[in-house]
Amino acid sequence: MPLRPRAARTAPPVAPVRTTPVPPKAKEPLWRDVVGDVLRRERLAQERTLKDVADAARISMPYLSELERGRKEASSEVLAAGARALGLSLSDLLSLAQTELTRHAQSTRPRQGEIRLAA
């Protein structure tokens, strides 16, 4: 007597696939990128070199360069030293960075009443 194959098991129901594309959210900047941008912008506004600011802050020039490019996470002591070398307080530096983050958040958030259509 030939064996009959077992009945195929049915897979559990799958949730329907969303067919409407969701627009990607703008990437939120990292804190180290924002702080680095503020440090660089302030240094350039004062027309000072990396070497000049690094010497005044008593940190190495390559490290300051990496901070400005957002490659390193600086300690509060290093940030305070960098800010002082630029004539800022730590709170000034952090306030400028917070302003940048707020500006970015407002530019990526849909305005009230604005309708965005997915292409």
Side-chain angles (χ1 to χ4, degrees):
M1 176 188 286
L3 296 174
R4 293 181 10 193
R6 288 186 175 170
R9 294 184 184 196
T10 58
V14 178
V17 176
R18 184 181 194 145
T19 58
T20 334
V22 176
K25 292 187 177 188
K27 186 177 176 184
E28 189 171 25
L30 297 175
W31 178 249
R32 66 177 184 238
D33 292 327
V34 176
V35 170
D37 288 343
V38 170
L39 287 170
R40 175 171 281 165
R41 187 175 57 245
E42 290 298 316
R43 179 178 61 79
L44 293 176
Q46 296 176 19
E47 298 179 351
R48 294 174 66 187
T49 64
L50 270 172
K51 180 170 179 22
D52 177 42
V53 175
D55 288 347
R58 299 179 54 100
I59 58 178
S60 75
M61 191 173 68
Y63 189 71
L64 178 59
S65 175
E66 289 189 332
L67 289 177
E68 286 187 354
R69 290 181 289 136
R71 304 264 195 250
K72 296 287 184 184
E73 293 276 355
S75 68
S76 58
E77 291 87 357
V78 170
L79 289 178
R84 276 193 310 272
L86 293 167
L88 302 171
S89 67
L90 181 59
S91 64
D92 292 334
L93 176 66
L94 301 181
S95 178
L96 290 168
Q98 189 266 338
T99 300
E100 288 298 313
L101 283 173
T102 302
R103 185 176 300 134
H104 179 271
Q106 289 173 345
S107 70
T108 59
R109 186 180 308 137
R111 289 173 284 201
Q112 190 172 16
E114 180 179 352
I115 298 174
R116 292 191 178 183
L117 300 175

